[in-house]
């Protein structure tokens, strides 16, 4: 009987995971062709996390159970690791080739609030930085699927700006212990009541903060259906990966979360991002291309297809930058909704962090309640992370070159400024915006004479004067 139930469960999960593997409809009418991305094929082997001694009571640490389960599957050539309903407290998880991490609807993977559990130790020495909770490096055919949740316990890592939270929220952080700066503007999770520090000072510990899910140099990646929440930093970060699908995930973190980006694509090729719902503390769907010579060597974000997503709170709905020295090539953004973001379409960079954009097509974007600009080009961006101090930038290499960007059929109901663009000559040019209506509350456009934007059938409306 038990074997029959497991067979039925495996069949049901196979049907669930494979239900939407044909993504060809998203490639039917592209302005420029892209390679069709297909989901990774995972061997039909199944194990349950509980088979390896895991306990989902929210108190037992299950790091060893995850490692044993993934190792067992790897020895069989790969397969599906089922995480059933429960609260699965854990340290680091690392995927191997041909592995699917499948979360039951009521499964919560919660990364340990004890920072030591996310810091690798080798030969008795701790690393100088925490690793992302869920990682894969130089792997092929990996996936994270299901309807469960991966929680980063970010409040035990992130500093909090007093200006971003209510009195009640501030008092909740203070109740954890922690350290408030002398001027009262920042709270750090340093000297907490019940957990140890992992560095000698609060600002040194801050530099150890890292991402929730990061895949590096991987081929054939799928993340589908799951919820990523409350990351110490960015939530999903594929870097230098090829053939990536991000389908139907939810990203959820406090709007005040410092560096709480949702999806950050870094120097990747052949990426499909569809059907996702985002509430983020920083940028929503962001394209990054590295800094300086290394960023250039890693190559562009190329053949990126972004459709049918909804971004609620974020600093930007769709974003390029701030760093993209590797460039941006052939990106299609279509049928997306931004409701309550700070900016809608956000292009940001600065000298030393810029690159060249090519063949960027953006269409059918629907926005409401945009705090600042519906569309913005900024070429003097300052990375205002905690502890950062602005200084004169004299860099003459890797200047921003926003060009060959085609925006059409945008409807925005409510933005302080409709379109804003600023930069030195040659930084913003070859931009066309067509068939667009923007209802603004402050200013219709603020475009520097150094910037070359062509507006065709763009209608700005505001309250009756």
């Amino acid at each position: 009987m038990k074997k029959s139930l497991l067979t039925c469960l495996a069949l049901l999960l196979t049907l669930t995971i494979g239900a939407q593997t044909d993504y060809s409809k998203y490639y039917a009418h592209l302005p420029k062709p892209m390679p069709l991305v297909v989901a990774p094929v995972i061997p039909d082997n199944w194990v349950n996390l509980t088979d390896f001694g895991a306990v989902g009571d929210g108190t037992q640490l299950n790091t060893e159970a995850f490692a044993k389960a993934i190792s067992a599957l790897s020895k069989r050539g790969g397969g599906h690791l089922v995480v059933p309903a429960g609260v699965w407290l854990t340290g680091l998880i690392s995927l191997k080739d041909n592995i699917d991490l499948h979360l039951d609807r009521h499964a919560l993977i919660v990364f340990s609030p004890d920072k030591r559990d996310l810091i690798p130790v080798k030969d008795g020495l701790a690393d100088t930085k925490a690793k992302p909770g869920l990682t894969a490096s130089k792997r092929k055919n990996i996936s994270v699927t299901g309807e469960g949740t991966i929680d980063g316990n970010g409040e035990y890592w992130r500093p909090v700006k007093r200006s971003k939270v209510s009195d009640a929220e501030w008092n909740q952080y203070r109740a954890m212990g922690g350290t408030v700066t002398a001027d009262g503007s920042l709270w750090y999770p340093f000297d907490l009541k019940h957990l140890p520090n992992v560095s000698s000072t609060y600002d040194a510990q801050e530099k150890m903060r890292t991402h929730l899910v990061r895949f590096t140099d991987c081929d054939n990646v799928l993340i589908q259906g799951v919820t990523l929440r409350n990351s110490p930093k960015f939530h999903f970060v594929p870097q230098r990966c090829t053939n990536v699908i991000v389908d139907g995930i939810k990203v959820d973190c406090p709007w005040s979360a410092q560096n709480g980006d949702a999806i950050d694509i870094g120097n990747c090729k052949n990426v499909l991002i569809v059907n996702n719902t985002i509430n983020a503390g920083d940028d929503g769907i962001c394209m990054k291309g590295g800094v300086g010579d290394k960023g250039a060597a890693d190559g562009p974000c190329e053949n990126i297809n972004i459709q049918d997503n909804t971004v609620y709170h974020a600093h930007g709905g769709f974003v390029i930058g701030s760093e993209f020295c590797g460039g941006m090539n052939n990106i299609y953004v279509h049928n997306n909704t931004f409701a309550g973001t700070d900016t809608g379409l956000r292009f940001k960079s600065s000298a030393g962090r810029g690159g060249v954009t090519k063949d960027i097509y953006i269409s059918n974007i629907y926005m409401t309640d945009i705090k600042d600009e519906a569309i913005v080009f900024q070429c003097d961006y300052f990375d205002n992370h905690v502890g950062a101090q602005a200084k004169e930038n004299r860099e003459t290499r890797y200047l921003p070159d926003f060009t060959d960007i085609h925006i059409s059929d945008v409807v925005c109901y409510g933005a302080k400024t409709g379109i804003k663009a600023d930069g030195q000559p040659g930084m913003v040019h070859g931009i066309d915006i067509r068939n667009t209506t923007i209802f603004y509350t402050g200013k219709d456009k603020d475009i520097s004479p150094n910037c070359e934007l062509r507006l065709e059938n763009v209608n700005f409306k505001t309250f009756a004067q």
Side-chain angles (χ1 to χ4, degrees):
M1 174 65 78
K2 183 177 180 181
K3 185 175 181 180
S4 298
L5 288 173
L6 289 175
T7 301
C8 291
L9 176 61
L11 177 60
L12 177 61
L13 291 174
T14 301
L15 293 173
T16 301
I17 294 169
Q20 191 176 358
T21 56
D22 181 7
Y23 292 99
S24 58
K25 69 177 183 178
Y26 293 107
Y27 293 84
H29 303 290
L30 300 181
K32 185 178 178 181
M34 295 182 187
L36 174 64
V37 182
V38 296
V41 177
I42 306 296
D44 191 24
N45 300 315
W46 299 83
V47 299
N48 193 297
L49 187 63
T50 57
D51 297 337
F52 299 86
V55 178
D57 65 356
T59 62
Q60 176 169 310
L61 196 66
N62 293 291
T63 311
E64 186 176 353
F66 275 103
K68 287 180 176 179
I70 290 168
S71 179
L73 279 173
S74 181
K75 290 175 181 177
R76 297 168 63 184
H80 306 268
L81 170 54
V82 177
V83 183
V87 180
W88 308 95
L89 188 69
T90 185
L92 299 171
I93 301 172
S94 180
L95 298 182
K96 297 184 178 182
D97 291 346
N98 308 311
I99 299 291
D100 167 51
L101 181 65
H102 185 84
L103 282 71
D104 179 90
R105 181 175 183 179
H106 299 293
L108 285 90
I109 295 176
V110 180
F111 287 101
S112 173
D114 189 334
K115 301 176 183 67
R116 296 172 298 182
D117 293 326
L118 296 181
I119 298 174
V121 177
K122 185 176 182 180
D123 299 327
L125 298 175
D127 203 337
T128 57
K129 188 174 182 179
K131 286 186 68 175
L134 176 59
T135 61
S137 177
K138 299 180 180 178
R139 298 298 183 181
K140 294 183 179 180
N141 301 317
I142 56 173
S143 61
V144 181
T145 62
E147 298 179 78
T149 298
I150 301 176
D151 189 313
N153 248 332
E155 64 269 26
Y156 292 98
W157 286 95
R158 294 189 305 262
V160 177
K161 291 181 178 178
R162 179 65 184 89
S163 60
K164 284 189 171 184
V165 295
S166 67
D167 290 346
E169 291 170 306
W170 184 253
N171 289 335
Q172 288 175 350
Y173 286 110
R174 292 295 304 273
M176 294 169 63
T179 300
V180 177
T181 55
D183 63 1
S185 65
L186 282 165
W187 174 89
Y188 285 87
F190 186 82
D191 287 342
L192 294 171
K193 288 181 178 179
H194 305 294
L195 293 165
N197 299 320
V198 291
S199 194
S200 57
T201 64
Y202 64 77
D203 51 348
Q205 183 169 283
E206 154 65 15
K207 291 181 174 63
M208 300 177 72
R209 185 163 56 106
T210 187
H211 310 307
L212 180 58
V213 180
R214 184 172 70 202
F215 298 151
T216 306
D217 299 306
C218 295
D219 293 332
N220 306 330
V221 174
L222 169 69
I223 180 166
Q224 182 184 60
V226 296
T227 295
L228 305 181
R229 71 175 307 272
N230 201 19
S231 173
K233 207 170 183 181
F234 304 165
H235 286 76
F236 179 54
V237 188
Q239 295 181 318
R240 300 185 302 276
C241 294
T242 302
N243 299 323
V244 178
I245 299 172
V246 187
D247 176 17
I249 73 168
K250 296 180 178 66
V251 178
D252 179 33
C253 77
W255 80 269
S256 58
Q258 197 68 30
N259 311 113
D261 292 32
I263 300 170
D264 279 26
I265 307 298
N267 303 86
C268 294
K269 296 184 179 180
N270 308 337
V271 179
L272 179 66
I273 302 172
V274 292
N275 308 314
N276 303 293
T277 303
I278 291 169
N279 263 302
D282 208 307
D283 288 326
I285 302 172
C286 185
M287 306 293 107
K288 293 184 178 294
V291 178
D293 293 340
K294 186 180 185 307
D298 287 340
C301 276
E302 186 171 42
N303 302 325
I304 316 293
N305 189 342
I306 302 170
Q307 299 191 50
D308 295 334
N309 303 284
T310 299
V311 182
Y312 293 110
H313 189 274
H315 288 186
F318 169 76
V319 183
I320 290 179
S322 65
E323 65 274 20
F324 67 108
C325 295
M328 298 283 151
N329 182 25
N330 197 19
I331 298 177
Y332 183 58
V333 184
H334 180 71
N335 270 352
N336 295 280
T337 297
F338 308 146
T341 58
D342 288 356
T343 60
L345 301 173
R346 187 185 194 195
F347 306 87
K348 58 175 180 174
S349 192
S350 63
R353 304 175 72 88
V356 180
T357 60
K358 180 182 178 183
D359 291 319
I360 313 297
Y361 298 91
I362 302 171
S363 58
N364 292 52
I365 306 297
Y366 308 100
M367 312 186 207
T368 187
D369 294 329
I370 306 302
K371 175 177 171 286
D372 297 315
E373 301 91 6
I375 303 171
V376 59
F377 293 85
Q378 181 185 3
C379 297
D380 60 351
Y381 178 78
F382 167 57
D383 185 8
N384 189 25
H385 59 271
V386 168
Q389 294 182 350
K391 58 184 179 181
E392 185 178 1
N393 186 348
R394 298 183 178 181
E395 181 64 64
T396 58
R397 299 192 309 151
Y398 297 113
L399 302 178
D401 189 356
F402 290 116
T403 188
D404 199 8
I405 298 175
H406 313 280
I407 302 171
S408 66
D409 301 290
V410 174
V411 178
C412 176
Y413 180 76
K416 183 177 180 181
T417 302
I419 301 172
K420 182 176 181 178
D422 196 14
Q424 298 301 312
M427 290 185 176
V428 182
H429 62 107
I431 314 295
D432 58 78
I433 304 173
R434 299 180 294 108
N435 304 330
T436 287
T437 299
I438 299 174
F439 187 96
Y440 65 93
T441 58
K443 193 172 187 178
D444 58 352
K445 52 186 179 294
D446 184 3
I447 300 174
S448 165
N450 293 329
C451 300
E452 300 175 15
L453 278 69
R454 184 177 66 177
L455 308 186
E456 179 183 331
N457 191 30
V458 175
N459 301 300
F460 296 98
K461 298 180 182 297
T462 190
F463 299 106
Q465 301 297 318

